Amino acid sequence: MLEISWSKALEFLEHYEIPTNSTRIFLLPSFYVETLKWKMKWKNLKGIFLPRFLRGYVFFSPDFSEIEEAYVHELSHGSFFENFPIGREIQRLDREVYELEKELFQGEVENIFVKVSSDVKGSRKVGTNVYEVNKEEFEKYIAVSKKLDSLHKRFLPLIESFAILVSEEFLKRKMEVPLSYFPVYEMLRRKGLKEIISYLYALAPDERIYI
């Protein structure tokens, strides 16, 4: 059943000229989901999308309708990050942060300490979770991270509201809308999906949202 939804959802996005050519969605098994939710404190989430990899992960549920909703929602995120200028910029920055973390810290940053120095080239591990990092390279990492964080916070209601709207249009049923996203969602809903897609194709990352 999920494979049928996959095919129809892809056709739906292509019809609206927002195809997902690189996005991949995976269903996580129940035992892994519970561990992940506990670790990341995502108790109420049904899925997650990683822009840097254009990968979405749907959390297993015995209720197929929940899996279906999460699948379309995460696929909609992929469409956003692949097609619209805002999404492509966030995806680019997220990927750059990932590459810098690999270069400087041998992986994603979690519970580490950093000593900044102009004498060291690149970085080196000098203790348990302690790295000595070149000053200029670390400042670049911080600048890119801050820009990514700023864009993500600024456009998160738009990104989530777009995914909700796409899900409602495709599945033909109402979705739950978090209160913090409701004003943006309502603006999108009143305009309709086709007009919103045209608007998002023209909206640059440094522009204000005006709908």
Side-chain angles (χ1 to χ4, degrees):
M1 294 176 69
L2 192 58
E3 291 177 355
I4 295 174
S5 296
W6 168 271
S7 176
K8 290 182 178 179
L10 290 178
E11 291 174 2
F12 177 85
L13 295 175
E14 287 176 0
H15 171 74
Y16 279 97
E17 299 182 348
I18 46 173
T20 51
N21 297 315
S22 301
T23 294
R24 297 293 181 269
I25 309 296
F26 301 93
L27 179 64
L28 293 181
S30 55
F31 71 89
Y32 186 81
V33 169
E34 292 308 313
T35 302
L36 189 63
K37 286 183 178 180
W38 176 82
K39 181 180 179 182
M40 304 302 293
K41 298 181 174 59
W42 291 331
K43 294 182 180 179
N44 298 319
L45 291 188
K46 299 175 183 178
I48 184 172
F49 194 88
L50 305 178
R52 59 182 57 177
F53 304 124
L54 291 174
R55 296 291 183 267
Y57 297 90
V58 173
F59 298 164
F60 177 83
S61 168
D63 184 348
F64 174 76
S65 65
E66 285 192 359
I67 295 178
E68 187 178 46
E69 289 176 9
Y71 166 76
V72 177
H73 186 95
E74 303 310 326
L75 189 65
S76 302
H77 283 329
S79 176
F80 190 99
F81 291 116
E82 281 197 55
N83 291 286
F84 304 132
I86 294 168
R88 290 199 300 269
E89 178 66 2
I90 290 175
Q91 195 274 335
R92 183 191 69 80
L93 290 169
D94 197 31
R95 184 73 188 188
E96 186 174 356
V97 166
Y98 170 72
E99 296 295 342
L100 286 169
E101 287 174 348
K102 279 203 307 180
E103 180 183 337
L104 297 176
F105 312 112
Q106 290 79 56
E108 296 180 62
V109 175
E110 185 177 355
N111 299 324
I112 68 168
F113 298 92
V114 176
K115 296 169 63 178
V116 178
S117 172
S118 299
D119 299 326
V120 65
K121 183 178 181 180
S123 68
R124 62 185 180 186
K125 194 171 184 178
V126 294
T128 304
N129 295 334
V130 181
Y131 290 85
E132 188 173 19
V133 183
N134 177 268
K135 182 176 184 292
E136 289 185 3
E137 293 183 54
F138 185 68
E139 287 176 349
K140 177 185 177 181
Y141 166 73
I142 292 298
V144 175
S145 298
K146 285 184 176 180
K147 186 174 181 180
L148 171 63
D149 187 56
S150 176
L151 275 179
H152 187 262
K153 286 180 179 178
R154 180 182 170 198
F155 291 111
L156 182 60
L158 178 63
I159 294 167
E160 292 297 333
S161 296
F162 175 78
I164 293 170
L165 185 63
V166 169
S167 298
E168 289 183 336
E169 286 285 332
F170 175 68
L171 296 171
K172 302 300 181 186
R173 57 178 180 260
K174 293 292 291 181
M175 301 291 134
E176 183 180 351
V177 182
L179 188 61
S180 58
Y181 303 151
F182 194 78
V184 175
Y185 163 79
E186 271 297 293
M187 287 191 292
L188 267 58
R189 186 188 62 80
R190 286 198 299 267
K191 291 291 184 180
L193 186 57
K194 197 167 186 178
E195 185 174 341
I196 289 303
I197 288 170
S198 297
Y199 171 77
L200 290 174
Y201 265 121
L203 185 65
D206 58 348
E207 289 186 75
R208 292 184 59 187
I209 300 175
Y210 181 77
I211 302 174

